[in-house]
Amino acid sequence: MEARVKSPANPDVITAIQHLSRAVHTGGVDPLVLELVHLRASQINGCSPCVYAGVESAKKHGETEKRLHNVVTWRETPFFTEEERAALALAEAATRIQDGAPGVTDEIWDAAAAHFDEKQLSAIILSIAMTNFFNRINRTTREQAGKTW
């Protein structure tokens, strides 16, 4: 499979993305939590370039191989904190909105709100939305794994 788009993105789009990214990363959330959220949403969406880039970025932030290999099964492993579990549940619920999925239930929201303040929740939600945005673009254009941005 080859990528469908080979030219670089519009500079105005890149600038807008940089502003959104800055908002996420100044929201007071542990960078490793953001990496886990990004990775889990990308796994759900089957976005190989984002999974690849997410794993590489998480490693640079000190994430372990053991935890990275178990993000997909985070509910069944003892490797994640309650805070991380709340963020991962939020990421899954916000990502799985198709075919009548319940979305973010009050239970999921309350668990996240118990660990994160409003500024942090806003950053996590924006991170999830941006991940889903990139996942859809990459799936549409058949972007290939192996790049980090």
Side-chain angles (χ1 to χ4, degrees), residues 78-130:
F79 307 134
F80 301 96
T81 67
E82 289 304 312
E83 178 182 75
E84 291 165 338
R85 290 175 182 281
L88 288 164
L90 183 60
E92 285 188 358
T95 298
R96 289 188 165 129
I97 58 174
Q98 77 295 346
D99 301 327
V104 179
T105 64
D106 289 340
E107 179 182 23
I108 291 168
W109 181 261
D110 292 345
H115 294 281
F116 302 100
D117 64 27
E118 285 194 12
K119 183 177 179 183
Q120 292 170 317
L121 284 169
S122 293
I124 292 169
I125 293 165
L126 182 55
S127 178
I128 295 165
M130 286 180 56

Side-chain angles (χ1 to χ4, degrees), residues 12-113:
D12 293 335
V13 172
I14 299 298
T15 299
I17 291 167
Q18 289 171 335
H19 287 290
L20 291 171
S21 182
R22 192 172 307 116
V24 167
H25 293 287
T26 59
V29 180
D30 180 342
L32 282 178
V33 171
L34 293 174
E35 296 294 350
L36 294 173
V37 163
H38 170 79
L39 180 56
R40 185 65 191 119
S42 297
Q43 288 172 334
I44 291 167
N45 290 325
C47 181
S48 65
C50 286
V51 168
Y52 178 87
V55 167
E56 293 300 309
S57 183
K59 286 179 183 178
K60 288 178 184 172
H61 282 93
E63 190 54 86
T64 66
E65 293 285 336
K66 176 173 69 175
R67 285 170 36 102
L68 287 170
H69 287 294
N70 285 281
V71 169
V72 72
T73 58
W74 64 269
R75 283 184 177 85
E76 291 80 26
T77 65
F79 307 134
F80 301 96
T81 67
E82 289 304 312
E83 178 182 75
E84 291 165 338
R85 290 175 182 281
L88 288 164
L90 183 60
E92 285 188 358
T95 298
R96 289 188 165 129
I97 58 174
Q98 77 295 346
D99 301 327
V104 179
T105 64
D106 289 340
E107 179 182 23
I108 291 168
W109 181 261
D110 292 345

